[in-house]
Amino acid sequence: MSRLNKLISLAILTLLIIACTKSADWQKTLDSSQTQNPTQRITVLKKIMSVEPPTQIVEAQYVGYQIGDNFLGPADYRFYARIVVEPKNISQWRRQLQPKIPPTEFPASPEISWWLSGQNQEEFEFYSPHELFQQIHGFIAVSLRNEGIIYIYTFTM
């Protein structure tokens, strides 16, 4: 084997080792708790959405996670949000959304106190996130018990 081939092989092996030893932990990339200003949180959420919301958003909370770096391999993302709208406006949100079969269970997110963990799925109507976020994976859950509360979960694979 020539010296050049050995160097190339060593470089490839080094890159593979670096790629395989990268952290496989989900890293928080977006967190609404970093600002106490509701207007700023709503502004950021509206920038994440692919369309203008059907009505005014009163409050927004969200967290985004990423695994991978898109450098030596793909990155995957998870996005969790809880928004509050005026109860009288919830029908306008429903009209813009496409119904979806409920998930088998709510995705867990241990660091989010406001997330759906432990709630009963029968208390929600489920919709596709595609119309508002251009994501095919995940759901939008409209609360039937607490009118005006909407949860969003999207992810990539």
Side-chain angles (χ1 to χ4, degrees), residues 49-62:
M49 297 175 74
S50 57
V51 297
E52 190 65 26
T55 67
Q56 182 179 6
I57 296 173
V58 176
E59 175 60 275
Q61 296 170 300
Y62 47 82

Side-chain angles (χ1 to χ4, degrees), residues 3-4 13 25 33 41 58 64 93 108 113-114 120 147 149:
R3 185 177 185 114
L4 180 60
L13 181 61
D25 295 330
S33 69
R41 291 193 300 265
V58 176
W93 286 76
S113 62
W114 45 261
N120 189 343
E147 194 77 8
I149 307 292

Side-chain angles (χ1 to χ4, degrees), residues 8 18 21-23 33 43 49 52 58 62 70 73 81 89-90 98 102 107 109-111 118 123 127 134 144 157:
I8 291 172
I18 291 170
T21 58
K22 285 259 185 197
S23 173
S33 69
T43 300
M49 297 175 74
E52 190 65 26
V58 176
Y62 47 82
N70 275 332
N89 294 334
I90 200 70
Q98 294 296 316
S109 183
E111 296 180 24
E123 296 175 7
Y127 299 90
Q134 292 296 307
L144 298 172
M157 333 194 285

Side-chain angles (χ1 to χ4, degrees), residues 24-75:
D25 295 330
W26 288 93
Q27 302 297 317
K28 195 179 291 185
T29 57
L30 187 64
D31 187 354
S32 64
S33 69
Q34 299 301 311
T35 179
Q36 297 301 314
N37 184 328
T39 304
Q40 287 178 336
R41 291 193 300 265
I42 292 166
T43 300
V44 170
L45 181 67
K46 288 169 78 173
K47 288 179 182 178
I48 295 168
M49 297 175 74
S50 57
V51 297
E52 190 65 26
T55 67
Q56 182 179 6
I57 296 173
V58 176
E59 175 60 275
Q61 296 170 300
Y62 47 82
V63 176
Y65 295 95
Q66 174 182 338
I67 190 169
D69 61 8
N70 275 332
F71 178 67
L72 294 172

Side-chain angles (χ1 to χ4, degrees), residues 133-148:
F133 292 89
Q134 292 296 307
Q135 296 290 328
I136 59 170
H137 301 295
F139 59 79
I140 293 176
V142 176
S143 177
L144 298 172
R145 175 182 278 185
N146 299 309
E147 194 77 8

Side-chain angles (χ1 to χ4, degrees), residues 54-58 83-97 124-125 127 132 140-152:
T55 67
Q56 182 179 6
I57 296 173
V58 176
I83 62 175
V84 179
V85 299
E86 290 290 334
K88 66 182 180 185
N89 294 334
I90 200 70
S91 62
Q92 294 176 55
W93 286 76
R94 285 183 173 117
R95 276 195 297 269
Q96 189 167 338
L97 301 170
F124 298 91
E125 291 177 337
Y127 299 90
L132 298 180
I140 293 176
V142 176
S143 177
L144 298 172
R145 175 182 278 185
N146 299 309
E147 194 77 8
I149 307 292
I150 302 171
Y151 293 91
I152 297 110

